[in-house]
Amino acid sequence: MSDQPDAFYLPAGDDVYEPTIATESPWDSSAQHGGPPTALLAHVIDATVGPEMRLARISVDFLVPIPRRPARIEVTTLRPGRQVRLTEAHLVVDEKTAVTARTWHIATGPTPPAETERVPPPPIPQKPDEWHSLLGMNDWGYGQAIEWRFIRGGHGPSGFAEVWTRVRIPLIAGQKMTGLARTLIVADAANGLSATLPIQDWLSIPPTMTTTLLRHPDGEWVHLACRTHLADDGLGVTHATVSDPDGRIGDVNQPLLIRER
């Protein structure tokens, strides 16, 4: 992308953010891809929680196609606590809630007397791919704002994809990029990456997404290993394992509406 915006979002006042072209959905240039709003909601929620707690799960409900217009974020604590905390946030556009997120934060503590083996994913390929071109689609903001390096998949519908990603721009202009934001910006791409049918002809819509995190990534690169399964009644589900070069970060789950365009 030769002329990248400064970030996915520009601050536009108290709790208001203006989306840039980098949030653009491949299906509607006036709408946002689900990844950036998910990361934005998590970022704003995270700022209301002390450093002694870490986000362990986020569930996001996409109530309508997300307009690519300025949005206000409203945050409410549903279950305060020192060990666990449940928080809800709404992305409000034109006085209507477009996205709702609920997060569980869990307090960090001493290292347990046991260790989970970290199995690193395959090495990062040397040559980047242009996912938007591989899909046979015109350039679109979200696809260009991320560097994609496929190990498997990406060249057509297969039901499985394995890809390294690197987010090219900050989530919010003027703010340092976090590992949490890197992970959530790409998490909602899992169903598109692992599509089982040609996405030019078939819709694969996740009305909700849940990401459960073991930890936040170290470094710039996030790896997704995604698989989509279809039922015989027009539904599907995508699961993705998320990793960094050191090993597993967490898991993504998306139920799907599958329909011919």
Side-chain angles (χ1 to χ4, degrees):
M1 187 173 180
S2 58
D3 188 18
Q4 292 182 354
D6 292 337
F8 289 92
Y9 295 98
L10 307 177
D14 292 342
D15 301 318
V16 177
Y17 298 87
E18 181 178 350
T20 69
I21 189 66
T23 67
E24 181 188 24
S25 164
W27 313 123
D28 181 353
S29 62
S30 66
Q32 299 184 53
H33 187 277
T38 297
L40 181 64
L41 287 164
H43 174 84
V44 174
I45 290 174
D46 222 33
T48 69
V49 180
E52 70 283 356
M53 304 187 87
R54 180 164 61 77
L55 190 145
R57 193 207 73 180
I58 180 169
S59 295
V60 183
D61 297 319
F62 305 111
L63 305 181
V64 296
I66 310 163
R68 194 155 58 83
R69 295 197 295 276
R72 183 179 76 255
I73 295 183
E74 301 172 348
V75 179
T76 303
T77 300
L78 300 179
R79 198 280 192 192
R82 291 184 297 175
Q83 299 296 321
V84 295
R85 181 185 182 101
L86 177 63
T87 309
E88 184 174 82
H90 300 279
L91 185 86
V92 181
V93 182
D94 298 334
E95 301 307 317
K96 296 181 180 179
T97 299
V99 187
T100 295
R102 282 193 172 193
T103 63
W104 279 102
H105 281 73
I106 299 177
T108 56
T111 301
E115 185 175 352
T116 300
E117 180 184 7
R118 292 193 180 187
V119 180
I124 302 169
Q126 293 300 309
K127 183 180 179 181
D129 300 287
E130 295 298 332
W131 185 33
H132 51 89
S133 297
L134 293 174
L135 295 175
M137 303 173 68
N138 294 327
D139 292 348
W140 44 288
Y142 174 83
Q144 296 183 57
I146 298 164
E147 184 174 342
W148 312 91
R149 298 198 181 186
F150 285 90
I151 297 170
R152 287 192 284 176
H155 297 269
S158 65
F160 181 79
E162 193 173 1
V163 59
W164 281 100
T165 69
R166 185 178 68 86
V167 179
R168 289 171 163 156
I169 56 176
L171 176 64
I172 301 170
Q175 297 191 25
K176 184 179 178 181
M177 192 65 158
T178 66
L180 176 62
R182 290 185 190 282
T183 303
L184 296 179
I185 285 171
V186 299
D188 190 55
N191 68 298
L193 291 164
S194 61
T196 60
L197 294 165
I199 64 175
Q200 300 92 335
D201 303 319
W202 289 84
L203 294 171
S204 173
I205 301 175
T208 184
M209 178 192 69
T210 298
T211 301
T212 304
L213 295 170
L214 175 64
R215 58 186 178 86
H216 295 170
D218 293 325
E220 294 185 318
W221 291 93
V222 175
H223 176 271
L224 294 172
C226 324
R227 185 174 293 279
T228 293
H229 301 272
L230 302 186
D232 59 6
D233 61 354
L235 277 71
V237 65
T238 295
H239 172 78
T241 298
V242 189
S243 305
D244 67 7
D246 290 333
R248 191 186 197 116
I249 297 169
D251 298 276
V252 177
N253 286 284
Q254 299 167 292
L256 303 174
L257 168 75
I258 306 296
R259 293 291 188 275
E260 192 170 8
R261 292 182 179 281

